[in-house]
Amino acid sequence: MQDVILSLLAKEPAHGYELRQRLVKALGPAGGALNPGQVYVTLSRLERAGLVEAREVAQPSHPDKKVYELTASGRERVMLWLTDVTWSRVVPLEFHLKLAAAAATRLTDPVALVDSQRLELLRELRQLQELALQEPPDSDGALLLEGASLRLQADIRWLEVCQQRLVERESR
Amino acid sequence: MQDVILSLLAKEPAHGYELRQRLVKALGPAGGALNPGQVYVTLSRLERAGLVEAREVAQPSHPDKKVYELTASGRERVMLWLTDVTWSRVVPLEFHLKLAAAAATRLTDPVALVDSQRLELLRELRQLQELALQEPPDSDGALLLEGASLRLQADIRWLEVCQQRLVERESR
DNA sequence: ACAGCCATGTAACTTGTTACATGATTTT
DNA sequence: AAAATCATGTAACAAGTTACATGGCTGT
């Protein structure tokens, strides 16, 4: 969250309300879940950490607003974030633990578990592809959806491999 | 972390030290980064939440140990976790924000950013494939590595698409 | 005597998250 | 007069993370 806010401020100074709106828009359909308060909490923590600075701006026919902008060390942190290359590869590990737990507890059949997850991902993939049709081609939104879609396909293929292995082992 | 610990306890009751070792082993090369204290912190929080219960076990030629096992509500939570199907699709969104920030700040060239990330992922993929060779075929470890590898390939393909789009836009 | 493994924790800090509170202005 | 929008925050808790503290037992 902090890095996200900072990256938005890297573009131009803004106040909390504006940031919240930009975030909701950037998050798309998932944007509704964003709690307004969180933006302000994050901003005040960033200020305490010296990464942003605020100045109050009076408005004639509106409540006052507080415009935040990056400090030097804030810009430094954005640069670090930009060049950071740790991508999340946590999920397969987590799912692997789930499989092991399912096998150990025998509360759920591992094969059924893999299958339900696979079906769910397929459902999500169809939904994504519907969304992609509504997006103008070659837009940023379409590019984003393509990234999510490629990942989903990779995960689905992996689940298929898992399922195959499980069935093979069962038949031995 | 909580769910991970719970899933390990779902297999069989265990004490903290043992859990830590199993975790380090399960995490493979990344296991070294695990702070021992965290296991105990997590266990005590799980106990406070009523998801696990401990009983102290004296050992003749070793310090005492505290063996934890799941309560009924702990087992319930594991079941919820097992059947939960939310996979992380956050990363493309995050990278998209990075691209936007890079374009806005002009501190870094977006094309260079994509390229460095792509090279890094390629490096990781090679490393993964080396690890896979050392793993016995058809083992759980090999399956895990395959999942990570499929994801990496999807991410790399996405970055290639991003790069293509950026170059296309530049030439206009 | 000293290193190293077995075993457990606590204090403190950061971050995410939610629920709640406040008040002005504009539109209907 | 009510509802929506503009605008900001606080208090409190949950969770991840780290640094540090403690002690017994084992092998050399």
mmCIF file with all atom_site columns, all heavy atoms in Angstrom, chain B residues 144-163:
data_model
loop_
_atom_site.group_PDB
_atom_site.id
_atom_site.type_symbol
_atom_site.label_atom_id
_atom_site.label_alt_id
_atom_site.label_comp_id
_atom_site.label_asym_id
_atom_site.label_entity_id
_atom_site.label_seq_id
_atom_site.pdbx_PDB_ins_code
_atom_site.Cartn_x
_atom_site.Cartn_y
_atom_site.Cartn_z
_atom_site.occupancy
_atom_site.B_iso_or_equiv
_atom_site.pdbx_formal_charge
_atom_site.auth_seq_id
_atom_site.auth_comp_id
_atom_site.auth_asym_id
_atom_site.auth_atom_id
_atom_site.pdbx_PDB_model_num
ATOM 1   N N   . LEU B 1 144 ? 6.421  -29.032 -7.184  1.00 0.00 ? 144 LEU B N   1
ATOM 2   C CA  . LEU B 1 144 ? 6.447  -27.653 -6.715  1.00 0.00 ? 144 LEU B CA  1
ATOM 3   C C   . LEU B 1 144 ? 7.249  -26.762 -7.653  1.00 0.00 ? 144 LEU B C   1
ATOM 4   O O   . LEU B 1 144 ? 6.814  -25.680 -8.045  1.00 0.00 ? 144 LEU B O   1
ATOM 5   C CB  . LEU B 1 144 ? 7.142  -27.619 -5.356  1.00 0.00 ? 144 LEU B CB  1
ATOM 6   C CG  . LEU B 1 144 ? 6.296  -27.328 -4.157  1.00 0.00 ? 144 LEU B CG  1
ATOM 7   C CD1 . LEU B 1 144 ? 7.183  -27.242 -2.943  1.00 0.00 ? 144 LEU B CD1 1
ATOM 8   C CD2 . LEU B 1 144 ? 5.586  -26.013 -4.382  1.00 0.00 ? 144 LEU B CD2 1
ATOM 9   N N   . LEU B 1 145 ? 8.435  -27.242 -7.996  1.00 0.00 ? 145 LEU B N   1
ATOM 10  C CA  . LEU B 1 145 ? 9.311  -26.460 -8.871  1.00 0.00 ? 145 LEU B CA  1
ATOM 11  C C   . LEU B 1 145 ? 8.649  -26.255 -10.229 1.00 0.00 ? 145 LEU B C   1
ATOM 12  O O   . LEU B 1 145 ? 8.799  -25.201 -10.845 1.00 0.00 ? 145 LEU B O   1
ATOM 13  C CB  . LEU B 1 145 ? 10.652 -27.172 -9.041  1.00 0.00 ? 145 LEU B CB  1
ATOM 14  C CG  . LEU B 1 145 ? 11.542 -27.150 -7.791  1.00 0.00 ? 145 LEU B CG  1
ATOM 15  C CD1 . LEU B 1 145 ? 12.813 -27.960 -8.017  1.00 0.00 ? 145 LEU B CD1 1
ATOM 16  C CD2 . LEU B 1 145 ? 11.903 -25.724 -7.424  1.00 0.00 ? 145 LEU B CD2 1
ATOM 17  N N   . GLU B 1 146 ? 7.901  -27.244 -10.652 1.00 0.00 ? 146 GLU B N   1
ATOM 18  C CA  . GLU B 1 146 ? 7.220  -27.099 -11.927 1.00 0.00 ? 146 GLU B CA  1
ATOM 19  C C   . GLU B 1 146 ? 6.170  -25.990 -11.875 1.00 0.00 ? 146 GLU B C   1
ATOM 20  O O   . GLU B 1 146 ? 6.024  -25.213 -12.807 1.00 0.00 ? 146 GLU B O   1
ATOM 21  C CB  . GLU B 1 146 ? 6.559  -28.426 -12.324 1.00 0.00 ? 146 GLU B CB  1
ATOM 22  C CG  . GLU B 1 146 ? 5.907  -28.323 -13.682 1.00 0.00 ? 146 GLU B CG  1
ATOM 23  C CD  . GLU B 1 146 ? 5.806  -29.671 -14.378 1.00 0.00 ? 146 GLU B CD  1
ATOM 24  O OE1 . GLU B 1 146 ? 6.299  -30.671 -13.807 1.00 0.00 ? 146 GLU B OE1 1
ATOM 25  O OE2 . GLU B 1 146 ? 5.248  -29.705 -15.477 1.00 0.00 ? 146 GLU B OE2 1
ATOM 26  N N   . GLY B 1 147 ? 5.466  -25.915 -10.739 1.00 0.00 ? 147 GLY B N   1
ATOM 27  C CA  . GLY B 1 147 ? 4.487  -24.841 -10.571 1.00 0.00 ? 147 GLY B CA  1
ATOM 28  C C   . GLY B 1 147 ? 5.137  -23.474 -10.638 1.00 0.00 ? 147 GLY B C   1
ATOM 29  O O   . GLY B 1 147 ? 4.691  -22.578 -11.353 1.00 0.00 ? 147 GLY B O   1
ATOM 30  N N   . ALA B 1 148 ? 6.228  -23.335 -9.897  1.00 0.00 ? 148 ALA B N   1
ATOM 31  C CA  . ALA B 1 148 ? 6.942  -22.054 -9.895  1.00 0.00 ? 148 ALA B CA  1
ATOM 32  C C   . ALA B 1 148 ? 7.431  -21.728 -11.293 1.00 0.00 ? 148 ALA B C   1
ATOM 33  O O   . ALA B 1 148 ? 7.371  -20.579 -11.751 1.00 0.00 ? 148 ALA B O   1
ATOM 34  C CB  . ALA B 1 148 ? 8.102  -22.117 -8.915  1.00 0.00 ? 148 ALA B CB  1
ATOM 35  N N   . SER B 1 149 ? 7.895  -22.760 -11.984 1.00 0.00 ? 149 SER B N   1
ATOM 36  C CA  . SER B 1 149 ? 8.453  -22.567 -13.317 1.00 0.00 ? 149 SER B CA  1
ATOM 37  C C   . SER B 1 149 ? 7.381  -22.128 -14.313 1.00 0.00 ? 149 SER B C   1
ATOM 38  O O   . SER B 1 149 ? 7.591  -21.210 -15.109 1.00 0.00 ? 149 SER B O   1
ATOM 39  C CB  . SER B 1 149 ? 9.101  -23.887 -13.739 1.00 0.00 ? 149 SER B CB  1
ATOM 40  O OG  . SER B 1 149 ? 9.526  -23.812 -15.067 1.00 0.00 ? 149 SER B OG  1
ATOM 41  N N   . LEU B 1 150 ? 6.224  -22.754 -14.241 1.00 0.00 ? 150 LEU B N   1
ATOM 42  C CA  . LEU B 1 150 ? 5.135  -22.376 -15.145 1.00 0.00 ? 150 LEU B CA  1
ATOM 43  C C   . LEU B 1 150 ? 4.732  -20.916 -14.941 1.00 0.00 ? 150 LEU B C   1
ATOM 44  O O   . LEU B 1 150 ? 4.506  -20.171 -15.891 1.00 0.00 ? 150 LEU B O   1
ATOM 45  C CB  . LEU B 1 150 ? 3.922  -23.289 -14.912 1.00 0.00 ? 150 LEU B CB  1
ATOM 46  C CG  . LEU B 1 150 ? 3.999  -24.677 -15.552 1.00 0.00 ? 150 LEU B CG  1
ATOM 47  C CD1 . LEU B 1 150 ? 2.873  -25.565 -15.046 1.00 0.00 ? 150 LEU B CD1 1
ATOM 48  C CD2 . LEU B 1 150 ? 3.942  -24.561 -17.070 1.00 0.00 ? 150 LEU B CD2 1
ATOM 49  N N   . ARG B 1 151 ? 4.677  -20.522 -13.693 1.00 0.00 ? 151 ARG B N   1
ATOM 50  C CA  . ARG B 1 151 ? 4.336  -19.131 -13.381 1.00 0.00 ? 151 ARG B CA  1
ATOM 51  C C   . ARG B 1 151 ? 5.365  -18.170 -13.922 1.00 0.00 ? 151 ARG B C   1
ATOM 52  O O   . ARG B 1 151 ? 5.032  -17.141 -14.499 1.00 0.00 ? 151 ARG B O   1
ATOM 53  C CB  . ARG B 1 151 ? 4.290  -18.967 -11.873 1.00 0.00 ? 151 ARG B CB  1
ATOM 54  C CG  . ARG B 1 151 ? 2.926  -19.056 -11.354 1.00 0.00 ? 151 ARG B CG  1
ATOM 55  C CD  . ARG B 1 151 ? 2.827  -18.191 -10.162 1.00 0.00 ? 151 ARG B CD  1
ATOM 56  N NE  . ARG B 1 151 ? 1.411  -18.126 -9.899  1.00 0.00 ? 151 ARG B NE  1
ATOM 57  C CZ  . ARG B 1 151 ? 0.862  -17.401 -8.967  1.00 0.00 ? 151 ARG B CZ  1
ATOM 58  N NH1 . ARG B 1 151 ? 1.642  -16.673 -8.188  1.00 0.00 ? 151 ARG B NH1 1
ATOM 59  N NH2 . ARG B 1 151 ? -0.406 -17.383 -8.811  1.00 0.00 ? 151 ARG B NH2 1
ATOM 60  N N   . LEU B 1 152 ? 6.623  -18.525 -13.703 1.00 0.00 ? 152 LEU B N   1
ATOM 61  C CA  . LEU B 1 152 ? 7.701  -17.671 -14.195 1.00 0.00 ? 152 LEU B CA  1
ATOM 62  C C   . LEU B 1 152 ? 7.586  -17.496 -15.698 1.00 0.00 ? 152 LEU B C   1
ATOM 63  O O   . LEU B 1 152 ? 7.721  -16.387 -16.221 1.00 0.00 ? 152 LEU B O   1
ATOM 64  C CB  . LEU B 1 152 ? 9.048  -18.310 -13.872 1.00 0.00 ? 152 LEU B CB  1
ATOM 65  C CG  . LEU B 1 152 ? 9.761  -17.823 -12.626 1.00 0.00 ? 152 LEU B CG  1
ATOM 66  C CD1 . LEU B 1 152 ? 11.084 -18.545 -12.460 1.00 0.00 ? 152 LEU B CD1 1
ATOM 67  C CD2 . LEU B 1 152 ? 10.009 -16.327 -12.731 1.00 0.00 ? 152 LEU B CD2 1
ATOM 68  N N   . GLN B 1 153 ? 7.336  -18.590 -16.387 1.00 0.00 ? 153 GLN B N   1
ATOM 69  C CA  . GLN B 1 153 ? 7.235  -18.507 -17.842 1.00 0.00 ? 153 GLN B CA  1
ATOM 70  C C   . GLN B 1 153 ? 6.080  -17.609 -18.255 1.00 0.00 ? 153 GLN B C   1
ATOM 71  O O   . GLN B 1 153 ? 6.196  -16.824 -19.203 1.00 0.00 ? 153 GLN B O   1
ATOM 72  C CB  . GLN B 1 153 ? 7.071  -19.908 -18.427 1.00 0.00 ? 153 GLN B CB  1
ATOM 73  C CG  . GLN B 1 153 ? 8.353  -20.728 -18.352 1.00 0.00 ? 153 GLN B CG  1
ATOM 74  C CD  . GLN B 1 153 ? 8.132  -22.179 -18.753 1.00 0.00 ? 153 GLN B CD  1
ATOM 75  O OE1 . GLN B 1 153 ? 7.447  -22.459 -19.723 1.00 0.00 ? 153 GLN B OE1 1
ATOM 76  N NE2 . GLN B 1 153 ? 8.713  -23.092 -18.000 1.00 0.00 ? 153 GLN B NE2 1
ATOM 77  N N   . ALA B 1 154 ? 4.966  -17.693 -17.528 1.00 0.00 ? 154 ALA B N   1
ATOM 78  C CA  . ALA B 1 154 ? 3.827  -16.830 -17.846 1.00 0.00 ? 154 ALA B CA  1
ATOM 79  C C   . ALA B 1 154 ? 4.204  -15.358 -17.638 1.00 0.00 ? 154 ALA B C   1
ATOM 80  O O   . ALA B 1 154 ? 3.903  -14.498 -18.466 1.00 0.00 ? 154 ALA B O   1
ATOM 81  C CB  . ALA B 1 154 ? 2.632  -17.201 -16.982 1.00 0.00 ? 154 ALA B CB  1
ATOM 82  N N   . ASP B 1 155 ? 4.889  -15.089 -16.542 1.00 0.00 ? 155 ASP B N   1
ATOM 83  C CA  . ASP B 1 155 ? 5.278  -13.704 -16.255 1.00 0.00 ? 155 ASP B CA  1
ATOM 84  C C   . ASP B 1 155 ? 6.240  -13.182 -17.318 1.00 0.00 ? 155 ASP B C   1
ATOM 85  O O   . ASP B 1 155 ? 6.158  -12.034 -17.745 1.00 0.00 ? 155 ASP B O   1
ATOM 86  C CB  . ASP B 1 155 ? 5.924  -13.624 -14.866 1.00 0.00 ? 155 ASP B CB  1
ATOM 87  C CG  . ASP B 1 155 ? 4.894  -13.801 -13.750 1.00 0.00 ? 155 ASP B CG  1
ATOM 88  O OD1 . ASP B 1 155 ? 3.696  -13.618 -14.020 1.00 0.00 ? 155 ASP B OD1 1
ATOM 89  O OD2 . ASP B 1 155 ? 5.294  -14.136 -12.618 1.00 0.00 ? 155 ASP B OD2 1
ATOM 90  N N   . ILE B 1 156 ? 7.176  -14.048 -17.728 1.00 0.00 ? 156 ILE B N   1
ATOM 91  C CA  . ILE B 1 156 ? 8.135  -13.636 -18.747 1.00 0.00 ? 156 ILE B CA  1
ATOM 92  C C   . ILE B 1 156 ? 7.425  -13.335 -20.053 1.00 0.00 ? 156 ILE B C   1
ATOM 93  O O   . ILE B 1 156 ? 7.672  -12.315 -20.710 1.00 0.00 ? 156 ILE B O   1
ATOM 94  C CB  . ILE B 1 156 ? 9.195  -14.736 -18.962 1.00 0.00 ? 156 ILE B CB  1
ATOM 95  C CG1 . ILE B 1 156 ? 10.112 -14.816 -17.736 1.00 0.00 ? 156 ILE B CG1 1
ATOM 96  C CG2 . ILE B 1 156 ? 10.011 -14.465 -20.218 1.00 0.00 ? 156 ILE B CG2 1
ATOM 97  C CD1 . ILE B 1 156 ? 11.019 -16.020 -17.714 1.00 0.00 ? 156 ILE B CD1 1
ATOM 98  N N   . ARG B 1 157 ? 6.459  -14.197 -20.391 1.00 0.00 ? 157 ARG B N   1
ATOM 99  C CA  . ARG B 1 157 ? 5.734  -13.963 -21.641 1.00 0.00 ? 157 ARG B CA  1
ATOM 100 C C   . ARG B 1 157 ? 4.974  -12.644 -21.564 1.00 0.00 ? 157 ARG B C   1
ATOM 101 O O   . ARG B 1 157 ? 4.920  -11.875 -22.531 1.00 0.00 ? 157 ARG B O   1
ATOM 102 C CB  . ARG B 1 157 ? 4.773  -15.131 -21.911 1.00 0.00 ? 157 ARG B CB  1
ATOM 103 C CG  . ARG B 1 157 ? 4.818  -15.559 -23.375 1.00 0.00 ? 157 ARG B CG  1
ATOM 104 C CD  . ARG B 1 157 ? 4.052  -16.852 -23.603 1.00 0.00 ? 157 ARG B CD  1
ATOM 105 N NE  . ARG B 1 157 ? 4.460  -17.882 -22.660 1.00 0.00 ? 157 ARG B NE  1
ATOM 106 C CZ  . ARG B 1 157 ? 3.630  -18.703 -22.019 1.00 0.00 ? 157 ARG B CZ  1
ATOM 107 N NH1 . ARG B 1 157 ? 2.333  -18.602 -22.212 1.00 0.00 ? 157 ARG B NH1 1
ATOM 108 N NH2 . ARG B 1 157 ? 4.089  -19.607 -21.193 1.00 0.00 ? 157 ARG B NH2 1
ATOM 109 N N   . TRP B 1 158 ? 4.427  -12.371 -20.396 1.00 0.00 ? 158 TRP B N   1
ATOM 110 C CA  . TRP B 1 158 ? 3.691  -11.112 -20.236 1.00 0.00 ? 158 TRP B CA  1
ATOM 111 C C   . TRP B 1 158 ? 4.620  -9.907  -20.417 1.00 0.00 ? 158 TRP B C   1
ATOM 112 O O   . TRP B 1 158 ? 4.281  -8.931  -21.080 1.00 0.00 ? 158 TRP B O   1
ATOM 113 C CB  . TRP B 1 158 ? 3.007  -11.059 -18.869 1.00 0.00 ? 158 TRP B CB  1
ATOM 114 C CG  . TRP B 1 158 ? 2.153  -9.854  -18.699 1.00 0.00 ? 158 TRP B CG  1
ATOM 115 C CD1 . TRP B 1 158 ? 1.084  -9.503  -19.451 1.00 0.00 ? 158 TRP B CD1 1
ATOM 116 C CD2 . TRP B 1 158 ? 2.326  -8.827  -17.727 1.00 0.00 ? 158 TRP B CD2 1
ATOM 117 N NE1 . TRP B 1 158 ? 0.556  -8.328  -19.000 1.00 0.00 ? 158 TRP B NE1 1
ATOM 118 C CE2 . TRP B 1 158 ? 1.299  -7.879  -17.950 1.00 0.00 ? 158 TRP B CE2 1
ATOM 119 C CE3 . TRP B 1 158 ? 3.229  -8.598  -16.694 1.00 0.00 ? 158 TRP B CE3 1
ATOM 120 C CZ2 . TRP B 1 158 ? 1.163  -6.737  -17.162 1.00 0.00 ? 158 TRP B CZ2 1
ATOM 121 C CZ3 . TRP B 1 158 ? 3.085  -7.467  -15.911 1.00 0.00 ? 158 TRP B CZ3 1
ATOM 122 C CH2 . TRP B 1 158 ? 2.063  -6.553  -16.154 1.00 0.00 ? 158 TRP B CH2 1
ATOM 123 N N   . LEU B 1 159 ? 5.791  -10.000 -19.818 1.00 0.00 ? 159 LEU B N   1
ATOM 124 C CA  . LEU B 1 159 ? 6.743  -8.895  -19.946 1.00 0.00 ? 159 LEU B CA  1
ATOM 125 C C   . LEU B 1 159 ? 7.126  -8.677  -21.404 1.00 0.00 ? 159 LEU B C   1
ATOM 126 O O   . LEU B 1 159 ? 7.313  -7.539  -21.849 1.00 0.00 ? 159 LEU B O   1
ATOM 127 C CB  . LEU B 1 159 ? 7.987  -9.170  -19.101 1.00 0.00 ? 159 LEU B CB  1
ATOM 128 C CG  . LEU B 1 159 ? 7.801  -8.982  -17.597 1.00 0.00 ? 159 LEU B CG  1
ATOM 129 C CD1 . LEU B 1 159 ? 9.073  -9.343  -16.851 1.00 0.00 ? 159 LEU B CD1 1
ATOM 130 C CD2 . LEU B 1 159 ? 7.412  -7.547  -17.289 1.00 0.00 ? 159 LEU B CD2 1
ATOM 131 N N   . GLU B 1 160 ? 7.222  -9.776  -22.152 1.00 0.00 ? 160 GLU B N   1
ATOM 132 C CA  . GLU B 1 160 ? 7.536  -9.636  -23.576 1.00 0.00 ? 160 GLU B CA  1
ATOM 133 C C   . GLU B 1 160 ? 6.428  -8.886  -24.299 1.00 0.00 ? 160 GLU B C   1
ATOM 134 O O   . GLU B 1 160 ? 6.694  -8.020  -25.133 1.00 0.00 ? 160 GLU B O   1
ATOM 135 C CB  . GLU B 1 160 ? 7.756  -11.025 -24.202 1.00 0.00 ? 160 GLU B CB  1
ATOM 136 C CG  . GLU B 1 160 ? 9.110  -11.614 -23.848 1.00 0.00 ? 160 GLU B CG  1
ATOM 137 C CD  . GLU B 1 160 ? 9.204  -13.115 -24.150 1.00 0.00 ? 160 GLU B CD  1
ATOM 138 O OE1 . GLU B 1 160 ? 8.196  -13.702 -24.621 1.00 0.00 ? 160 GLU B OE1 1
ATOM 139 O OE2 . GLU B 1 160 ? 10.265 -13.692 -23.909 1.00 0.00 ? 160 GLU B OE2 1
ATOM 140 N N   . VAL B 1 161 ? 5.191  -9.215  -23.948 1.00 0.00 ? 161 VAL B N   1
ATOM 141 C CA  . VAL B 1 161 ? 4.065  -8.494  -24.550 1.00 0.00 ? 161 VAL B CA  1
ATOM 142 C C   . VAL B 1 161 ? 4.128  -7.014  -24.179 1.00 0.00 ? 161 VAL B C   1
ATOM 143 O O   . VAL B 1 161 ? 3.945  -6.135  -25.021 1.00 0.00 ? 161 VAL B O   1
ATOM 144 C CB  . VAL B 1 161 ? 2.718  -9.111  -24.097 1.00 0.00 ? 161 VAL B CB  1
ATOM 145 C CG1 . VAL B 1 161 ? 1.549  -8.298  -24.633 1.00 0.00 ? 161 VAL B CG1 1
ATOM 146 C CG2 . VAL B 1 161 ? 2.613  -10.550 -24.559 1.00 0.00 ? 161 VAL B CG2 1
ATOM 147 N N   . CYS B 1 162 ? 4.415  -6.737  -22.922 1.00 0.00 ? 162 CYS B N   1
ATOM 148 C CA  . CYS B 1 162 ? 4.531  -5.348  -22.459 1.00 0.00 ? 162 CYS B CA  1
ATOM 149 C C   . CYS B 1 162 ? 5.578  -4.597  -23.277 1.00 0.00 ? 162 CYS B C   1
ATOM 150 O O   . CYS B 1 162 ? 5.355  -3.474  -23.736 1.00 0.00 ? 162 CYS B O   1
ATOM 151 C CB  . CYS B 1 162 ? 4.949  -5.311  -20.989 1.00 0.00 ? 162 CYS B CB  1
ATOM 152 S SG  . CYS B 1 162 ? 3.636  -5.702  -19.845 1.00 0.00 ? 162 CYS B SG  1
ATOM 153 N N   . GLN B 1 163 ? 6.708  -5.251  -23.441 1.00 0.00 ? 163 GLN B N   1
ATOM 154 C CA  . GLN B 1 163 ? 7.821  -4.616  -24.133 1.00 0.00 ? 163 GLN B CA  1
ATOM 155 C C   . GLN B 1 163 ? 7.451  -4.290  -25.576 1.00 0.00 ? 163 GLN B C   1
ATOM 156 O O   . GLN B 1 163 ? 7.696  -3.193  -26.072 1.00 0.00 ? 163 GLN B O   1
ATOM 157 C CB  . GLN B 1 163 ? 9.010  -5.564  -24.105 1.00 0.00 ? 163 GLN B CB  1
ATOM 158 C CG  . GLN B 1 163 ? 10.325 -4.878  -24.390 1.00 0.00 ? 163 GLN B CG  1
ATOM 159 C CD  . GLN B 1 163 ? 11.474 -5.722  -23.877 1.00 0.00 ? 163 GLN B CD  1
ATOM 160 O OE1 . GLN B 1 163 ? 11.349 -6.944  -23.773 1.00 0.00 ? 163 GLN B OE1 1
ATOM 161 N NE2 . GLN B 1 163 ? 12.581 -5.070  -23.567 1.00 0.00 ? 163 GLN B NE2 1
#
